[in-house]
Amino acid sequence: MLCEFVDGEAVFKRLYICLEPLKRGFKMNCRSFIGLDGCHLNGVYGGQLLTAVGIDPNNETWVLAYAVVEMETRESWTWFIDLLAKDVDIVNSYGWAFIYDKQKGLPGAFEDIVPNAETRFCVRHLWDNFNKTYKGKVLRDQLWTCARATNVPCFNYQMEVMKTLDSNAWEWLAEKPPTQWSKSHFRTHIKCDMLQNNLCESFNNSIKTARDKPIITMLEMIRCLLMRRIQ
């Protein structure tokens, strides 16, 4: 646990928590794959909760660490990921993968702390952005077909199909690095082909009742939730 105050003032700024059983369980059994997300706190103090969630051997969620911060910025994400990397012993980030939803400042934090890690963008959120301009079930299904392609030739073929359906939609999608959203370009040694950041979405949904409580009360509710979950 690490608590940080505003420089020169006794004013709470940030709080990072990585409980020892969660850290030990992750390092012993979980894959080198972590979902990152942030959600707003609805209490009188405001702020946001950053979370890091992994996958256990049963392909179920394993909450690893979380932090209360003032807002989502490159600075706060860098602070969080730096502490997280130290806790799980990330020395060579090449062997790790992170999935996220384009949180503010997060790409810059990856560059600062884990520059060699694989970074994936949640395809559900990619489709949300795509759907603002290019609507319809046919284009939606084709986007997901491209994302689920398991090898490069198949991916290239499906992208050509997208081009025949709508050249503008193809151009929009072609600008996005396929290493971030298509199975065909994921690193194989991580042994995880997850396309959506449901890890964090599920956790954020499970703590809705805690997010409007005072900070200490909220953290105790989360701790008890995780304790019951593991038990």
Side-chain angles (χ1 to χ4, degrees), residues 101-121:
D101 305 337
K102 287 290 186 184
Q103 280 78 21
K104 293 180 179 178
L106 193 46
F110 287 140
E111 295 175 9
D112 294 339
I113 307 300
V114 286
N116 298 316
E118 179 182 75
T119 56
R120 303 180 188 176
F121 182 56

Side-chain angles (χ1 to χ4, degrees), residues 113-155:
I113 307 300
V114 286
N116 298 316
E118 179 182 75
T119 56
R120 303 180 188 176
F121 182 56
C122 177
V123 178
R124 167 63 180 169
H125 288 77
L126 178 71
W127 175 77
D128 284 342
N129 295 334
F130 180 86
N131 190 55
K132 292 175 182 177
T133 305
Y134 309 105
K135 302 182 182 297
K137 183 178 184 301
V138 173
L139 291 179
R140 181 196 66 186
D141 291 347
Q142 189 57 34
L143 184 151
W144 280 99
T145 301
C146 294
R148 294 187 177 112
T150 55
N151 56 68
V152 175
C154 181
F155 171 79

Side-chain angles (χ1 to χ4, degrees), residues 56 59-63 223-231:
D56 71 9
N59 276 336
E60 297 180 356
T61 61
W62 184 272
V63 178
R223 183 187 65 83
C224 292
L225 171 69
L226 298 178
M227 182 173 63
R228 290 192 298 269
R229 170 80 168 79
I230 295 172
Q231 193 278 333

